Amino acid sequence: MKGFLAAAEEGDLPELEKLLAHDVTVWVDGGGRISAARRPVFGANRVARYLVGASRTTGQRIRLSIAELNGAPGLLALAGEELIGVLVPETAGGLISEIRIIANPAKLRLSRREGLSGS
């Protein structure tokens, strides 16, 4: 998880691709309120490019923090002090095989009220 965190924060495409299964898929819930992939993103190269590109759309540096999300390890994506997304990766064979991202502002507000916190 820490290797993924560092590569994602730095925008290191080659390193991200090494950590992703060749058939990795990302699903994003933007709730129609933010610019997000409306269909799943499939494949290590596309997923790595999507993650790096998405982190640059805010105009701010995105900081990732490891957190427990619904009893599983995940990441909080923060722009300054604002929670802009949560990422829940699944692994298989030591590689990330899928990532679910919640970026819907309404759902993120609900998460903050319920005491979501990172480490």
Side-chain angles (χ1 to χ4, degrees), residues 5-73:
L5 186 142
E9 280 188 335
E10 294 300 318
D12 186 340
L13 283 171
E15 190 60 31
L16 273 175
E17 285 187 62
K18 289 181 194 174
L19 301 169
L20 301 172
H22 76 279
D23 59 349
V24 64
T25 304
V26 170
W27 288 269
V28 183
D29 175 359
R33 297 179 180 180
I34 64 155
S35 178
R38 296 177 194 261
R39 295 188 177 144
V41 179
F42 179 78
N45 182 264
R46 287 183 178 171
V47 167
R49 286 186 292 127
Y50 176 78
L51 293 172
V52 169
S55 71
R56 292 181 179 155
T57 61
T58 66
Q60 294 181 305
R61 181 179 164 99
I62 303 300
R63 183 173 43 90
L64 298 174
S65 174
I66 297 172
E68 184 176 304
L69 305 168
N70 293 330

